[in-house]
Amino acid sequence: ACCASSALLSNGSGPAPSAFSRIADGAWSMVLEETRASRRALMAERYCSLVFSPIPVASFPDVVKGVLNVLLKERARSPHLGRCAVMNLCNSLKAVSDPVPWRDVLCELLRHKEEGVKREDTVGAGDWSDAYGFGGKVKESSMTRAIALEYVASLDGEKLGEEGVR
């Protein structure tokens, strides 16, 4: 389980991971090593609140996007991870002066969620949008969908750039 954390933050580009990457990677290793489910869930929640807080979201967007990608892929086993990550990310984006780097990720997430609501068949993870790790059937009551929609609805077009959200 410990080795899975190394894939969490390696994006294959650029120099050696930053100090924040190493801290986030080490914290994720501790989450994975926990054996009690209740404690592991609490640790994962605290991990998301650390990684998806406003300073890392603004300062290390590539690292945070990598973490988000992994947590969304993990949601097949632990659906709360995706919800927790998206909730903390959206809350942090409200405090970030430039959410434009996150526009594509949120639009892709919402596009997947809306198409998934319309789909009746179940699509396996990876069959749709491998770039962000989405896949699977989406319920109309999806909490992740609701959180992302609420965030986008709270923005005006200026904050997301000239194009806004389509």
Side-chain angles (χ1 to χ4, degrees), residues 21-64:
S21 295
R22 291 190 299 273
I23 291 168
D25 194 33
W28 184 247
S29 294
M30 289 189 286
V31 171
L32 293 176
E33 289 174 5
E34 180 55 50
T35 56
R36 291 180 43 203
S38 60
R39 180 173 263 162
R40 187 177 190 173
L42 179 62
M43 290 173 71
E45 180 185 324
R46 299 290 189 232
Y47 175 81
C48 287
S49 67
L50 167 76
V51 173
F52 297 104
S53 62
I55 292 173
V57 165
S59 303
F60 311 107
D62 292 336
V63 173
V64 177

Side-chain angles (χ1 to χ4, degrees), residues 72 86 104-113 134 144 148:
L72 288 174
V86 172
D104 292 341
V105 174
L106 288 175
C107 287
E108 190 67 22
L109 174 65
L110 286 173
R111 185 176 305 120
H112 160 71
K113 291 292 186 177
F134 305 142
T144 305

Side-chain angles (χ1 to χ4, degrees), residues 149-161:
L149 283 170
E150 185 277 329
Y151 169 73
V152 171
S154 72
L155 295 176
D156 56 1
E158 294 174 10
K159 194 158 184 184
L160 280 179

Side-chain angles (χ1 to χ4, degrees), residues 108 111-113 115 119 123-131 133-135:
E108 190 67 22
R111 185 176 305 120
H112 160 71
K113 291 292 186 177
E115 287 180 8
R119 241 188 328 239
V123 178
D127 290 347
W128 193 89
S129 188
D130 284 331
F134 305 142

Side-chain angles (χ1 to χ4, degrees), residues 4-19:
S5 66
S6 62
L8 184 66
L9 296 171
S10 61
N11 61 6
S13 63
S18 69

